[in-house]
Amino acid sequence: MAASETELMLKGYGLTTAEMLYRMPDYRSVLNSFVWQDYDLAPDYPRLFKFIEFWQGEIEGPLHSVRFTHRKMIAPGEWRNVVGEFRYH
């Protein structure tokens, strides 16, 4: 059973987005872009590297480059102490 996004974030996962530039199999001088997104664990990124290994083994278009970013969605909230209250009417 797959865990929900909230459960994954509570376990330390964050949203990882990767843009992969790859060469077209028939036209090696043409680069194409593919965007991949999943919840992954920093700094090892096991899901991202598993996908890259799958790509290299199963997809004909060789990878040119991979750029990725990682964002933890659950962080301490901003808290502000309110010391006064104004009433109008």
Side-chain angles (χ1 to χ4, degrees), residues 5 8-9 13-16 37-41 47 73:
E5 294 174 359
L8 288 172
M9 287 187 284
Y13 284 77
L15 187 62
T16 302
Q37 215 174 33
D38 200 357
Y39 287 91
D40 210 350
L41 283 169
R47 291 184 177 183
M73 303 300 252

Side-chain angles (χ1 to χ4, degrees), residues 42-86:
D44 297 329
Y45 304 103
R47 291 184 177 183
L48 174 61
F49 287 115
K50 182 177 179 181
F51 182 76
I52 291 172
E53 288 173 6
F54 165 79
W55 184 291
Q56 291 173 333
E58 302 295 326
I59 307 294
E60 289 184 24
L63 287 172
H64 174 270
S65 61
V66 177
R67 292 187 313 172
F68 71 95
T69 183
H70 180 80
R71 170 87 172 142
K72 282 192 139 187
M73 303 300 252
I74 295 182
E78 292 185 19
W79 184 80
R80 193 170 56 142
N81 186 18
V82 177
V83 293
E85 179 179 331
F86 294 99

